[in-house]
Amino acid sequence: MPRPNIWFFPYRRGSGSVLNLVEELENSRIIRRENSTYVPRQGDKIINLGRYNLPLWILELSRIGARLINRPEAVEIATSKMRTFDVLERTQGVIIPEWTRDLGVAQNWEGRVLGRSIDRGSEGVGITVYDS
């Protein structure tokens, strides 16, 4: 079996979605977070899945001809719901729901309003539904 050239670098160990991806994609593996023996090589594609603090060997990828997909600065924005909305709001052609950081504004909205108490929550954690 040839050495894989697609490597997933997950934000947490045992991520079910990463395990599913590796199962479906031929020639792919997971880079362990701790005690990894992975050494990047030319042609490798490292897919960063949710990590914005990466090891120092990441700095060497372009020099050796390997590629990082999902740069840490992009992951940092994407993991913050408010920063993501800030960026998307300024991106021409992207439609996002009406949103605010101002409780007074939200209290004047009619119908169902979703509130978030945790900016970096996932899987619905930190979401509250309000009906006016």
Side-chain angles (χ1 to χ4, degrees):
M1 178 177 208
R3 180 182 184 274
N5 68 347
I6 299 172
W7 297 85
F8 291 98
F9 204 35
Y11 70 97
R12 71 177 166 86
R13 185 176 173 197
S15 167
S17 57
V18 174
L19 294 173
N20 290 339
L21 283 167
V22 168
E23 188 176 301
E24 292 298 320
L25 290 174
E26 292 180 22
N27 207 21
S28 67
R29 291 266 172 82
I30 298 171
I31 300 171
R32 290 192 313 246
R33 290 174 52 113
E34 293 89 21
N35 304 318
S36 176
T37 58
Y38 171 74
V39 176
R41 294 188 188 164
Q42 183 176 5
D44 281 358
K45 293 167 199 69
I46 296 95
I47 302 173
N48 176 21
L49 296 173
R51 294 193 66 180
Y52 46 88
N53 55 343
L54 298 174
L56 292 177
W57 56 256
I58 291 292
L59 301 173
E60 297 295 316
L61 295 180
S62 62
R63 184 184 62 76
I64 64 169
R67 181 172 176 214
L68 176 64
I69 300 168
N70 287 341
R71 299 196 98 35
E73 52 274 15
V75 171
E76 172 71 20
I77 291 168
T79 58
S80 165
K81 308 312 184 255
M82 287 196 280
R83 288 189 65 197
T84 297
F85 270 40
D86 280 337
V87 169
L88 293 176
E89 194 169 56
R90 294 188 310 267
T91 305
Q92 186 174 356
V94 175
I95 299 169
I96 61 172
E98 186 174 4
W99 73 287
T100 184
R101 288 185 171 98
D102 186 330
L103 178 60
V105 170
Q107 287 174 330
N108 289 317
W109 288 344
E110 293 183 17
R112 184 164 286 167
V113 176
L114 300 178
R116 179 171 274 288
S117 61
I118 301 171
D119 181 47
R120 295 182 186 274
S122 63
E123 300 176 10
V125 174
I127 294 178
T128 306
V129 178
Y130 301 94
D131 287 308
S132 59

